[in-house]
Amino acid sequence: MRKREINHIDDKTLKKWIEDEAMTDILAQRADVIRRQVYGNKVYLRGLIEVSNICKNDCYYCGIRKSNTHVNRYRLGKEEILNSARFGYELGFRTFVMQGGEDPKFSQDFMVDVLKSIKEAYPDVAITLSLGERSYEDYKAFFDAGADRYLLREESSNPAHYDKLHPKEMKLKNRQECLYNLKKIGYQVGGGFMVESPYQKTEDLIADIRFLEELEPDMVGIGPYLVSHDTPFMDFKNGSFTKTLRLVAILRIVFPYALIPATTALGTVNPKGRELGLKAGANVLMPNLSPKEAKKAYNLYDNKLNTGLEAAEAKKQLEKEIASFGYQVVDDRGDVSDFGK
Ligand code: SAM
């Protein structure tokens, strides 16, 4: 298998795979075989640090959108971020993901300082950023300061659907341009989308897969859309768990080399979400390293998992549980596979 082998599946087959409930187990089994060929039974952990829930955007689905006045807003300072990193490092985490709203106070200078400090203290970790759309110059400065990866879901690759999820200032074209800028700079890049976000059609999901085939992302993160009661989309329903599993499996089949998380949203929508996500081809988990108050206040949707195995402190227990599913947690940066290179 070459490094970037992509298995192109035609539209008709994809439509059946996405829509047909009866395909769930079949796709999961097929995906698991492929993941084992490329990554064995390894599961990589990323310590998630939710750095700020302050956001200048107003995405209609998101609990931390700027118009939501019921959010207890916070922003971590440098020391708090470094403390979370130290705590995570001691537990064995070798990737940190700094995720947050598009918070204007996270200036280029501030981020560069934080990134350099983490890399100086822990040269063997990888740092992933997920801070939304920024200028080329910011992305470049972050990369030069030590950021390795960037997660930026495209959310929807159909511009008409994208416009239904976002206010008019936000444009799919900008988001896609950011993804290409990140690639050009040298980041390992992650795209992705929510499954059954409001107004989403099967054709929109197929458009996402086509966009990702073009982008060749290193990582793909997906999860079900989950209702947040303080948003304009509060009356829509949660995305389907099994459809999300089918899409995880489809992504593994199409992108055998990719890093694919079993996301917190998947674990929130179903108690066995993360286990079944791994069994459907996912190979990454993102336990939460954020300080306690931040964990509580970073509510993108209702009923977010907030006690138990998604907490980074529970790493030992998590390792045991993952082993009982037939996989093995490794303390490793977990870069994208160069299998067969
Ligand atoms: N601001 C950054 C960005 O825009 O990429 C990172 C933070 S953003 C809150 C992270 C992801 O959360 C989004 O890409 C979106 O897919 C997901 N998300 C937001 N609201 C959600 C919801 N109601 N249900 C499920 N996922 C949601």
Side-chain angles (χ1 to χ4, degrees), residues 136-154:
Y136 185 94
E137 291 69 33
D138 280 357
Y139 287 151
K140 177 83 173 76
F142 301 162
F143 185 78
D144 291 342
D148 302 275
R149 310 184 187 131
Y150 206 103
L151 302 174
L152 185 75
R153 292 180 177 180
E154 73 281 1

Side-chain angles (χ1 to χ4, degrees), residues 57-63 65-66 165-167 170 231-233:
N57 291 332
D58 230 359
C59 309
Y60 301 140
Y61 46 84
C62 184
R65 65 198 300 268
K66 82 166 172 215
L165 303 178
H166 302 97
M170 295 183 73
T231 65
F233 285 164

Side-chain angles (χ1 to χ4, degrees), residues 18 151-155 190-196 200 205 208-209 212 217 219-226 240-252 255 259-267 269 273-274 277 280 282 284 286 301:
I18 292 169
L151 302 174
L152 185 75
R153 292 180 177 180
E154 73 281 1
E155 313 294 0
F193 49 85
M194 291 173 286
V195 175
E196 292 197 337
Q200 184 183 70
L205 288 166
D208 269 307
I209 294 167
L212 292 170
M219 307 164 281
V220 189
I222 68 164
Y225 161 73
L226 296 175
S240 150
F241 175 58
T242 50
K243 191 191 268 192
T244 309
L245 287 180
R246 290 196 292 286
L247 276 144
V248 168
I250 289 169
L251 290 169
R252 173 60 63 207
F255 304 101
L259 292 157
I260 301 177
T263 53
T264 309
L266 195 63
V269 79
R274 301 210 303 183
V284 171
M286 296 169 65
Y301 41 76

Side-chain angles (χ1 to χ4, degrees), residues 76-110:
L76 300 187
K78 179 180 172 188
E79 281 317 305
E80 288 168 300
I81 297 174
L82 289 179
N83 282 341
S84 298
R86 181 181 331 113
F87 180 57
Y89 192 85
E90 284 164 4
L91 286 167
F93 287 90
R94 291 297 176 269
T95 290
F96 302 124
V97 180
M98 283 194 249
Q99 190 185 79
E102 284 191 25
D103 181 345
K105 285 272 167 64
F106 274 90
S107 63
Q108 188 185 113
D109 288 349
F110 174 79

Side-chain angles (χ1 to χ4, degrees), residues 4 8 69 129 143 172 204 262 275:
R4 285 298 152 115
H8 180 83
T69 53
L129 297 178
F143 185 78
L172 173 61
D204 300 327
E275 171 183 353

